Structure formats: C-alpha cells, structure tokens
Amino acid sequence: MSKLAQVFLIGALIRFIIPSSIPSITTILSSTVELSTPINSFKSLLESFYYLNHDINLYDGGVNHNPPLLVSILSIIYNLPYSNILFNALYTVIDLFIAYRLILINRWYNNYQTRKLGEKKTGFNDDLIASFYLFNPLIVLANLSHSTTIFSWLFTIESIYQIISGNSPRGMIALSISSYLSYYPLYLLPSILSLSHILSKERNLSKSLVFGGCIFLMSLTLLLMVSVVITSSFQFIDHCYFTILCLKKITPNVGLWWYLFTEMFEFFTPFYLGMFNLYSFIFIIPITLRLFEFKQTPKLGDSFLAIILSYIWISFTKTYPTIGDLGLALSLIPIISSTVLKYCKMMYITGITLIISLLLSPIFYYCWIVLGNGNSNFFYSINLIWGAVQVMIMMDLVWGKLIMDYSIENNIKSNEIGKLNLAQI
Amino acid sequence: MALAETVYRKINKLGIIPKLIHLLPKLSFIFAALSVAWLCYLPLDGNYRNVYISENALMPAQVTSYFRESEWNVVRGYREEFGKLENLSLNERNSMVESWLKDLNLQVSYHNNQTLYSIMHAPRGENTEAMALVVPWFNSDKEYNEGALSLALALIRYFNKMSIWSKNIILIFPENSGKVLRSWVEAYHTTLDETAGSIEAAIIMEYGKQGDYFNYYQMFYEGLNGQLPNLDLLNTANLISSHEGISKSIQGYKDNLMNFNTRLNTLFKGILKLSLTGLTNDLYGCEAFSGWQIQAFTIKAVGSAGHDVTQFGRIVDSTFRSVNNLLEKFHQSFFFYLMLSPKNFVSIGTYLPSAVLLAVSFALSSLSSILNNIKVEMIFDNLTFFLNIIAFVEIGCLIIAFTLPNTQFFEIGMSLLGVISLLPNFEFKNNQFSFALISISLFFISLLITALLIVHFSLAFIIGLLGFPLTFIPTLLKQRKVKIAKLISIISNPFFIIYIGSRYLEHPEIYSKLLTSWNDLQCWTWFIVMLGWFPSWILITISIIGYKEVDEIKKDI
C-alpha cells in the first residue's frame, strides 16, 4: 500500500472508529469550550433535528444557529437508522475529501510557482500534506467534536480548488455556499476573486471582478431565498448571521470578543460592535492588495498566500472561533513551504507558544468553572496568547514573503539570504 | 524598528547567540537556583504581605457572640453523655445523637447508614445556601473527639435559638475525617435526598479529651490537588480568635513568635504539605470538601490550659455569623497563596516566578541538549522513530497507571527499576538519538511544570526540584561520564525518590496511598507522576542506555 493510502486509511480509522466505539467522546468534545461554540456545536444541530421532526420552528428557543438548508439536508441522515454511525462516516468522508483537495492544491501551487518564478519549487509530498491535515490534532479534535464548521471548510477549500482548476464560476458558487453556512468565508471573497483573476485569461480586472462577484452574489441570494421559502420566514437571517455579527450569545470561547463585551457597559456595545466588525473585515483589503500579482511585477505577489493570511486574520478576529479554525490554517501553511515558509524564522517560538496555550487553556477553564478558584481573567489571558499565536504566524508569513520578494528583486540566491542578517526591509 | 535593528545587529556582531548556547547548561542551573532562592527571599521583610479581609460583607468579630459561660454547662452536660458513648458501636452512638437532635426539633438523615447529618433550616434564608459544621467521631490523632462533639451539640442548640441565620447549617458526624467524609460530600452533591443548598463554607472541629480548657488551636486548610480555601475565610477565623486573645499555629509555628526562620519553615512545610495532601494518613477533613467550590478549614484545640471551651465555640459561632453575611460566593481575596504565618502570606503573583523559573530552567537544558549536540533537522528526519518510542512509553505508563494492583511488591519493584533498567544493553544508531530523546523528555517535564503552575504550584515545584538532577545528564554524557549519568538516573527514579522521601518524612504510607488516593479521594497526583514524571524518566534512562561510549562526537555541528 502506498504511503498516501496508509495516511488516508489511518486518518479515516481515527475519525470513524474512535467515535463509533466510544460515542461519548463526541458528546464530551462537543461540550468543550475550545471546540464548540453556540454557532457550531453538534448538540444544537441535534436539537434542531428534533425541532424539525416535531414541526417546531427551527429558530424558536434560540438554540439553533445553523442555516435551514444545512439542517434539512443533514436531517435526512439523522432520520436514517444508525444515524450516529452515519454521521461519523459523513464527517470522516468530508475530512478525507478536504485532505484530497489540499493535495491537489499543493501540487498546483508548486507547479504554478515553478512556472512563475522560473526555478524549480518542490514542496512537501502528497502524503505529507495529507498527514498535516489528517493528523493535525486540532483538526482531529474538531472533527471528533462534530463541529459544523467543517462543512464551511469543505466548501472554502473546494472553492479554492475550483478556482485553481480554472473553473471560477464553480469556485464562486462553492464560496457562496461556504459563506451561507458560516458567514465569515464571505471575507475571503476579495482574495479568492483576485486569485481567480490571476488564473483566468481575462486581462480586464474589473470585468473578472464583476463576473465573479455577480456569480457569488446570485448564488448566495439563491441560497437565502430557498431558505426563506422552506422556513417561510426571515427569522433565520437574524439567528444565523446577526447572532454571529452582533455576538448575541456571549459565552466563553477562544476568541477575543466575549470578554470585552461582558465587561463593557451596554451603552458602548453598539459602537464597539461596529468597530470590531469593521476591524475584522478591513484588513482583508490591504492583505489582498499587497499580495496581488500586478502585471508590472508578476513575481512579487502571491494571491494564495493572501487567502491564507485572510483566513488566519478571520480566525483571529471572528466572534465565535474554535481551535479548529487555526488548525485548518496550520494545515494550509505547509503548502507554501517551498516559497514563503523557508524564510520564516519564528516557527519554533510560535510552536512552543501554541503548545503552551493549548495546554493551559483547558486547565484555566477548569479552574474558573469547576474549581471556582480561578476567574474569567485566567481563561481570557490564554485567549490573548492564542490570539498572539495567530498574529505571530501572520507576522512571520508576511516577513517571509517580504524577504522572498527582496531576494527576487535583488537576485539573491535563497541559500545566501541567510547570511545577510536582514533586520529591516 | 531602528532600536530593534541596532540591537539585532549588535547581537550578531558580538556573536552573543553562540556564546549563550554554549552557556545554556550553566544558565539552566542558575535559573533553578534562582527559583529556590526566590522562595527563600519571600519571607524577608517587605516581600510578604499582612493578611487582611477583602470582602467587606464578612465583617468579622463585629457581633457579640452570646455563646458564653452560660452555655458552658450545656457543653459540660453533653460531654458527660458523650463520654459514655465512646466504646459503643457507631450505630448506637448515632442513634443517641439522633435522639438529642430530635429533642432540639432537628431532622436527622443518614448517608450509607453510617454518617449522620442534620440540617438546621435557616429562618430567614431561601434555603439555597448552607454552612457545614463537621465533627468527626475520632479526630486526626485517632482520639475520641469528645470536646468537639459536645461543643457541636451545644452550638447547634444555641444556633437553633437565633433567628438571624440566612444560610442553612448542616451538622455532620462522620466516623473520621477521611474517606467517609469525602464520600458524604460527594453524595451530598449527587445522590442525597436531604440537602440544604450549596455549601459556602465548612469548618471541621477537633477538640479531644482535654476537658474544659485549651491552650491554642492549630489550623489546617490544605485541600486536595493543590486547592486552598479562600484566604478571607481563614482570615475571618483568625481575626476572630485574635479578638478572643487565642493564639494559633500554622504548620506547627505559633503566631506569638515570628521571625525569618519560622516564616521560611512555614512556607516550605506548607508547600510540602499541600503536595502531599491525600497521600498521607494525616487527613484533617478540610480536604474532603475540595473540588466542590466549598471553602473549608480545620481547627484543632491543643493543650489543656488557658482558654475555655466556649471560646473555641465562639470562633465557630462568629465565623458562621460572618459567612452568614455574605451575599455572594467567596470571590474576593485570594485562592492561590502561601502562608508564612497566621498573619502573613504571599499571593500567587509573588511566588509564581519561582515555578516559572524552574520550568524555564528545564526548557533551557532541553534546548541545550539539542543545540549543543545535534542538528535540529535530525529530529524532524527521524520524527516517526521519536513519536513511536514516546507513544509506546506513554501508553505503557497509561496502562500501568490504570491497572496497577496495590501490592508491596510493586513498591520495591518500581524503585529497583532504576537499577534494573540500566542493565540491558542496546545502542542507538548514533548518539544524537540520545540527546534528542533527553531533550524531548526535559521539554516534557517543563510543560508538566507549566501545566501545574497555577493549579498546583506545590506539586509543580517539588517535581521540578526532585527531577532537576536529570538536567545534568546531557552535559555528563557529552563529557563521557556515562557512569555518573547512570547513577543520577538511578537516584532520580520518581518511585525511588518517593520511596526514600516517604521514609525520610516518616510517612511510609505515601507509597500505597499514592495508588489508592485517586479512588478514595480523587487526588490525581498519581496520574501526574505516572503520566508526566515517570515517562520522562524512562525516556531519559533509555537514552542513557542507548548512548555509545566509544562513539566519536561529530564535530560538524
């Protein structure tokens, strides 16, 4: 059996055998604050199946925050016999599919960079890329907790894949499904549009932006309209999107929002909601623009890196993040190993910070909630470190990209750049 | 950026980084020494703080307690009766107490047909909060707890007459302060039918057969798994007793003579005690309440002259009156502290650097083991090998941790493991493997200390200190002193250390308790040792065995 097949097999077994033989593991993990938020918890999805089967309005009681189409499609599985096992199988298949897409994206990226830069770029093997996704503990935990974010990941990755395989309309449709499922992938639109423009034969920027944007908007509208039709109300917009935008359910998670909005006087809440939302979107634009592959300097941009950076920025600033969000980013980063990653220099420090924050986060939560001898500051301090980890990763990637650009502009060979001791560009 | 750039260039120019890497073993030692020095520095004047009441609602010693000489006769009367019960069986004693409590119009319930408890419902409360007064039949010295039993009955009789209570009062008579009490507390939160709401505070009374008078009291407050009661509660009781003119002792040091030495000893005895709570036979009852957000302490009367027994009762009465004032749970003041005397303490912010330094020290020597001996890439090239061996050891330890029978054979076997494990003879492909494995293990210990840093400082500090000799091993191996490395490995076997330590501390039961304390008391020290400390030791020992003495050090690093 080839190495790749082994990786897929073991990855599948972990995801299928563990929750099938120990069903309580899903229940336990889906109650863990680091993995589950009111928006993506599997428990609330199960609750909404119950509502659906008993003809109760899906959004009564404010438990369900999943869009109606997701609930109704998944309820087909729920109503089959052995639905637990089937769900395990579904989550396994989705993860394997994402891993497979990542392999294809990795192959494309290295080919594309080789063509663009005119020198051979070889990244990681297929089996390594698959392992980085399938054996990433954060991804495994997110999968075992049956977080519904995974559906959104699926379509985000699928969207990137469709774009790079030259089918930008399909990519836009996939992205619109992804945004429909969890709102935040919407912010990936600028960087994905720019990638699609670079790869398409269309030379007119505004034309391809309008084309892609229209397809995105139309399919998103279609999805929303279908949802209105099947629920016969607009209630889901409030519960699926405004809850996310306005942090209507303030519960602890690994993000940066909840603590501030708990501590804040209510008087200030609208202002800071506006600021925070603006903040989480506005940085997407400069990231995309800076890394856009302009006609004059095609070698200097990297729209795929822009997607990764935007994604990390979103997982840093989103209202209800989980550790799985960073997990996906960490699985995407190995793809750029042949270009940007080898210029990064903070990886060890970031890695250790990541390990320590992952270690202390559940302990501090336990001190706060169970033992009662800690308080929310304990847990939030680790959230801040968690945020710092993401910022460090972004800084490192941007630094790596700048050094790489510098070496391309000045024709410095990659093995000589280390001797320069660059401290500033 | 200009400053950062200047610094960065300077560092490169002077070659500070290679020099630092070379110095890492020494730095690691200095950090560990600083860690201990930091703790020793705390008892100096100016480094510790005086205790104070943080929660205004408590208002300790602000009310006049009426539990005075008039109640003394009641106490005497009950003591006379309790004296007759000493040699009866538990059921007979319980039924006697039951009849007395029923005379006071109190309902009586049983847990497992053995632990009697009675709830005095608060006349003014909402029946959602409670305070617990625990009187074990036999105290921590295995002495018949006559004084405390009679005091408890007199107190509940006195409480029952007052209309000021807003929190229920639960009176509990366990056979002793050990497993029985722990199981009562657990049952109270899970299965018992008769409950009185969440317990805010619990006081365990110990007053043996010394009669009407006592000299001072000892206070015990260490909980399981590094938990401590809120400092406000201890301060409340201590402040009240100060108003009564009663002196008290913590860790065996009385408050009337305090100097650097007593503070230092109190500090270190406190750390040792906290890390051994639940592992020795000394159970005072306060640890039974750990994990349920209940603040608990034990007071034990010592001596037979000086203050009268009602003064002891007034400490309880007045403390309950203070707790009764609370509108919220205990949340002010400190949950993480180290006492230096009944009147002085250091809070977490002050003592934490000590454990952080220790964790850093392990991390530095882990770094040193890699940077001074091998190429970092080598670890990634052989990642599968390392992951396999670590997973194998860790899973092995996990299996042992859960299945191990409690036998005497085990005790000696595990200690001898240090010697036996160095007998087999195998060699790694090259010596880099040894250094890499040692580095991973030391990093693992560093993470273990970091994880325990807040939640169980004492255990983190003690494991760090006892495991510290392991950090010398990479340097010794590099200098080809393999025999000394082996010796260090033998004496730093966790079980060997625990064996010697338990004999030295005259608590030989630590060993067997370590195994049983999870089931009896939910004390997780066993798992920390078995899944954190021991696997690291095994990995380091494996790397010493696999080290080739004749191998030439490759100079290409």
Side-chain angles (χ1 to χ4, degrees), chain A residues 6-18 88 92 96 134-135:
Chain A
Q6 284 176 16
V7 169
F8 269 83
L9 186 70
I10 299 172
L13 287 180
I14 294 173
R15 286 165 171 75
F16 186 70
I17 302 288
I18 293 178
N88 298 339
T92 309
L96 295 185
L134 291 175
F135 302 144

PDB file of all heavy atoms in Angstrom, chain A residues 6-18 88 92 96 134-135:
ATOM      1  N   GLN A   6      -1.934   4.760   3.082  1.00  0.00           N
ATOM      2  CA  GLN A   6      -1.828   4.484   4.528  1.00  0.00           C
ATOM      3  C   GLN A   6      -2.304   5.683   5.347  1.00  0.00           C
ATOM      4  O   GLN A   6      -3.072   5.537   6.295  1.00  0.00           O
ATOM      5  CB  GLN A   6      -0.381   4.172   4.898  1.00  0.00           C
ATOM      6  CG  GLN A   6       0.059   2.785   4.492  1.00  0.00           C
ATOM      7  CD  GLN A   6       1.530   2.563   4.801  1.00  0.00           C
ATOM      8  OE1 GLN A   6       2.141   3.307   5.561  1.00  0.00           O
ATOM      9  NE2 GLN A   6       2.093   1.540   4.206  1.00  0.00           N
ATOM     10  N   VAL A   7      -1.831   6.852   4.925  1.00  0.00           N
ATOM     11  CA  VAL A   7      -2.221   8.068   5.650  1.00  0.00           C
ATOM     12  C   VAL A   7      -3.735   8.223   5.635  1.00  0.00           C
ATOM     13  O   VAL A   7      -4.366   8.466   6.665  1.00  0.00           O
ATOM     14  CB  VAL A   7      -1.545   9.307   5.014  1.00  0.00           C
ATOM     15  CG1 VAL A   7      -2.140  10.582   5.577  1.00  0.00           C
ATOM     16  CG2 VAL A   7      -0.056   9.278   5.243  1.00  0.00           C
ATOM     17  N   PHE A   8      -4.324   8.033   4.460  1.00  0.00           N
ATOM     18  CA  PHE A   8      -5.780   8.176   4.364  1.00  0.00           C
ATOM     19  C   PHE A   8      -6.489   7.129   5.205  1.00  0.00           C
ATOM     20  O   PHE A   8      -7.470   7.427   5.886  1.00  0.00           O
ATOM     21  CB  PHE A   8      -6.223   8.077   2.899  1.00  0.00           C
ATOM     22  CG  PHE A   8      -6.266   9.398   2.220  1.00  0.00           C
ATOM     23  CD1 PHE A   8      -5.117   9.948   1.690  1.00  0.00           C
ATOM     24  CD2 PHE A   8      -7.441  10.120   2.142  1.00  0.00           C
ATOM     25  CE1 PHE A   8      -5.142  11.182   1.076  1.00  0.00           C
ATOM     26  CE2 PHE A   8      -7.477  11.361   1.533  1.00  0.00           C
ATOM     27  CZ  PHE A   8      -6.327  11.897   0.997  1.00  0.00           C
ATOM     28  N   LEU A   9      -5.958   5.913   5.175  1.00  0.00           N
ATOM     29  CA  LEU A   9      -6.619   4.838   5.924  1.00  0.00           C
ATOM     30  C   LEU A   9      -6.577   5.121   7.420  1.00  0.00           C
ATOM     31  O   LEU A   9      -7.607   5.060   8.109  1.00  0.00           O
ATOM     32  CB  LEU A   9      -5.929   3.502   5.603  1.00  0.00           C
ATOM     33  CG  LEU A   9      -6.634   2.304   6.209  1.00  0.00           C
ATOM     34  CD1 LEU A   9      -7.962   2.078   5.496  1.00  0.00           C
ATOM     35  CD2 LEU A   9      -5.770   1.067   6.109  1.00  0.00           C
ATOM     36  N   ILE A  10      -5.366   5.462   7.924  1.00  0.00           N
ATOM     37  CA  ILE A  10      -5.256   5.706   9.365  1.00  0.00           C
ATOM     38  C   ILE A  10      -6.086   6.920   9.762  1.00  0.00           C
ATOM     39  O   ILE A  10      -6.811   6.909  10.763  1.00  0.00           O
ATOM     40  CB  ILE A  10      -3.779   5.887   9.768  1.00  0.00           C
ATOM     41  CG1 ILE A  10      -2.997   4.610   9.440  1.00  0.00           C
ATOM     42  CG2 ILE A  10      -3.661   6.169  11.264  1.00  0.00           C
ATOM     43  CD1 ILE A  10      -1.504   4.741   9.605  1.00  0.00           C
ATOM     44  N   GLY A  11      -6.017   7.974   8.906  1.00  0.00           N
ATOM     45  CA  GLY A  11      -6.818   9.169   9.176  1.00  0.00           C
ATOM     46  C   GLY A  11      -8.294   8.835   9.245  1.00  0.00           C
ATOM     47  O   GLY A  11      -9.007   9.311  10.123  1.00  0.00           O
ATOM     48  N   ALA A  12      -8.735   7.990   8.339  1.00  0.00           N
ATOM     49  CA  ALA A  12     -10.151   7.604   8.325  1.00  0.00           C
ATOM     50  C   ALA A  12     -10.497   6.769   9.554  1.00  0.00           C
ATOM     51  O   ALA A  12     -11.543   6.978  10.175  1.00  0.00           O
ATOM     52  CB  ALA A  12     -10.459   6.827   7.056  1.00  0.00           C
ATOM     53  N   LEU A  13      -9.585   5.856   9.912  1.00  0.00           N
ATOM     54  CA  LEU A  13      -9.872   4.986  11.060  1.00  0.00           C
ATOM     55  C   LEU A  13     -10.006   5.805  12.338  1.00  0.00           C
ATOM     56  O   LEU A  13     -10.920   5.581  13.125  1.00  0.00           O
ATOM     57  CB  LEU A  13      -8.770   3.937  11.211  1.00  0.00           C
ATOM     58  CG  LEU A  13      -8.800   2.820  10.160  1.00  0.00           C
ATOM     59  CD1 LEU A  13      -7.669   1.841  10.388  1.00  0.00           C
ATOM     60  CD2 LEU A  13     -10.138   2.100  10.198  1.00  0.00           C
ATOM     61  N   ILE A  14      -9.066   6.761  12.524  1.00  0.00           N
ATOM     62  CA  ILE A  14      -9.140   7.613  13.721  1.00  0.00           C
ATOM     63  C   ILE A  14     -10.501   8.284  13.790  1.00  0.00           C
ATOM     64  O   ILE A  14     -11.158   8.314  14.820  1.00  0.00           O
ATOM     65  CB  ILE A  14      -8.052   8.701  13.685  1.00  0.00           C
ATOM     66  CG1 ILE A  14      -6.667   8.088  13.786  1.00  0.00           C
ATOM     67  CG2 ILE A  14      -8.248   9.695  14.821  1.00  0.00           C
ATOM     68  CD1 ILE A  14      -5.558   9.095  13.579  1.00  0.00           C
ATOM     69  N   ARG A  15     -10.938   8.807  12.657  1.00  0.00           N
ATOM     70  CA  ARG A  15     -12.171   9.590  12.661  1.00  0.00           C
ATOM     71  C   ARG A  15     -13.427   8.735  12.722  1.00  0.00           C
ATOM     72  O   ARG A  15     -14.475   9.221  13.156  1.00  0.00           O
ATOM     73  CB  ARG A  15     -12.215  10.460  11.394  1.00  0.00           C
ATOM     74  CG  ARG A  15     -11.276  11.605  11.471  1.00  0.00           C
ATOM     75  CD  ARG A  15     -11.064  12.228  10.104  1.00  0.00           C
ATOM     76  NE  ARG A  15     -10.314  13.458  10.216  1.00  0.00           N
ATOM     77  CZ  ARG A  15      -9.005  13.511  10.448  1.00  0.00           C
ATOM     78  NH1 ARG A  15      -8.315  12.404  10.624  1.00  0.00           N
ATOM     79  NH2 ARG A  15      -8.381  14.673  10.546  1.00  0.00           N
ATOM     80  N   PHE A  16     -13.299   7.496  12.278  1.00  0.00           N
ATOM     81  CA  PHE A  16     -14.515   6.671  12.258  1.00  0.00           C
ATOM     82  C   PHE A  16     -14.591   5.734  13.456  1.00  0.00           C
ATOM     83  O   PHE A  16     -15.615   5.648  14.133  1.00  0.00           O
ATOM     84  CB  PHE A  16     -14.579   5.877  10.955  1.00  0.00           C
ATOM     85  CG  PHE A  16     -15.855   5.119  10.802  1.00  0.00           C
ATOM     86  CD1 PHE A  16     -17.042   5.801  10.581  1.00  0.00           C
ATOM     87  CD2 PHE A  16     -15.882   3.742  10.926  1.00  0.00           C
ATOM     88  CE1 PHE A  16     -18.241   5.114  10.473  1.00  0.00           C
ATOM     89  CE2 PHE A  16     -17.080   3.054  10.824  1.00  0.00           C
ATOM     90  CZ  PHE A  16     -18.258   3.751  10.593  1.00  0.00           C
ATOM     91  N   ILE A  17     -13.480   5.037  13.751  1.00  0.00           N
ATOM     92  CA  ILE A  17     -13.524   4.016  14.799  1.00  0.00           C
ATOM     93  C   ILE A  17     -13.706   4.635  16.186  1.00  0.00           C
ATOM     94  O   ILE A  17     -14.533   4.171  16.970  1.00  0.00           O
ATOM     95  CB  ILE A  17     -12.234   3.159  14.784  1.00  0.00           C
ATOM     96  CG1 ILE A  17     -12.044   2.501  13.430  1.00  0.00           C
ATOM     97  CG2 ILE A  17     -12.255   2.130  15.894  1.00  0.00           C
ATOM     98  CD1 ILE A  17     -12.982   1.382  13.124  1.00  0.00           C
ATOM     99  N   ILE A  18     -12.949   5.706  16.464  1.00  0.00           N
ATOM    100  CA  ILE A  18     -12.999   6.263  17.825  1.00  0.00           C
ATOM    101  C   ILE A  18     -14.414   6.692  18.213  1.00  0.00           C
ATOM    102  O   ILE A  18     -14.954   6.218  19.202  1.00  0.00           O
ATOM    103  CB  ILE A  18     -11.987   7.413  18.007  1.00  0.00           C
ATOM    104  CG1 ILE A  18     -10.566   6.864  17.913  1.00  0.00           C
ATOM    105  CG2 ILE A  18     -12.171   8.112  19.349  1.00  0.00           C
ATOM    106  CD1 ILE A  18      -9.489   7.904  18.039  1.00  0.00           C
ATOM    107  N   ASN A  88     -20.685   9.770  11.830  1.00  0.00           N
ATOM    108  CA  ASN A  88     -19.239   9.551  11.904  1.00  0.00           C
ATOM    109  C   ASN A  88     -18.670   9.354  10.510  1.00  0.00           C
ATOM    110  O   ASN A  88     -17.624   9.916  10.179  1.00  0.00           O
ATOM    111  CB  ASN A  88     -18.917   8.316  12.754  1.00  0.00           C
ATOM    112  CG  ASN A  88     -19.379   8.485  14.183  1.00  0.00           C
ATOM    113  OD1 ASN A  88     -19.575   9.611  14.628  1.00  0.00           O
ATOM    114  ND2 ASN A  88     -19.552   7.388  14.897  1.00  0.00           N
ATOM    115  N   THR A  92     -16.034  11.732   8.533  1.00  0.00           N
ATOM    116  CA  THR A  92     -14.789  11.135   8.059  1.00  0.00           C
ATOM    117  C   THR A  92     -14.587  11.423   6.587  1.00  0.00           C
ATOM    118  O   THR A  92     -13.520  11.876   6.161  1.00  0.00           O
ATOM    119  CB  THR A  92     -14.839   9.613   8.266  1.00  0.00           C
ATOM    120  OG1 THR A  92     -15.221   9.350   9.604  1.00  0.00           O
ATOM    121  CG2 THR A  92     -13.495   8.976   7.981  1.00  0.00           C
ATOM    122  N   LEU A  96     -11.560  13.475   4.689  1.00  0.00           N
ATOM    123  CA  LEU A  96     -10.712  12.855   3.669  1.00  0.00           C
ATOM    124  C   LEU A  96     -10.770  13.651   2.378  1.00  0.00           C
ATOM    125  O   LEU A  96      -9.763  13.862   1.704  1.00  0.00           O
ATOM    126  CB  LEU A  96     -11.146  11.417   3.411  1.00  0.00           C
ATOM    127  CG  LEU A  96     -10.992  10.441   4.576  1.00  0.00           C
ATOM    128  CD1 LEU A  96     -11.354   9.038   4.129  1.00  0.00           C
ATOM    129  CD2 LEU A  96      -9.567  10.452   5.097  1.00  0.00           C
ATOM    130  N   LEU A 134      -4.676  15.413   8.103  1.00  0.00           N
ATOM    131  CA  LEU A 134      -5.413  14.319   8.751  1.00  0.00           C
ATOM    132  C   LEU A 134      -4.898  14.016  10.156  1.00  0.00           C
ATOM    133  O   LEU A 134      -5.631  13.514  10.992  1.00  0.00           O
ATOM    134  CB  LEU A 134      -5.343  13.059   7.883  1.00  0.00           C
ATOM    135  CG  LEU A 134      -6.121  13.144   6.577  1.00  0.00           C
ATOM    136  CD1 LEU A 134      -5.891  11.912   5.733  1.00  0.00           C
ATOM    137  CD2 LEU A 134      -7.607  13.309   6.850  1.00  0.00           C
ATOM    138  N   PHE A 135      -3.611  14.288  10.413  1.00  0.00           N
ATOM    139  CA  PHE A 135      -3.076  14.015  11.756  1.00  0.00           C
ATOM    140  C   PHE A 135      -2.863  15.282  12.559  1.00  0.00           C
ATOM    141  O   PHE A 135      -2.229  15.257  13.601  1.00  0.00           O
ATOM    142  CB  PHE A 135      -1.761  13.229  11.659  1.00  0.00           C
ATOM    143  CG  PHE A 135      -1.905  11.928  10.928  1.00  0.00           C
ATOM    144  CD1 PHE A 135      -0.911  11.442  10.117  1.00  0.00           C
ATOM    145  CD2 PHE A 135      -3.061  11.183  11.074  1.00  0.00           C
ATOM    146  CE1 PHE A 135      -1.065  10.254   9.442  1.00  0.00           C
ATOM    147  CE2 PHE A 135      -3.232   9.995  10.406  1.00  0.00           C
ATOM    148  CZ  PHE A 135      -2.230   9.515   9.586  1.00  0.00           C
TER     149      PHE A 135
END
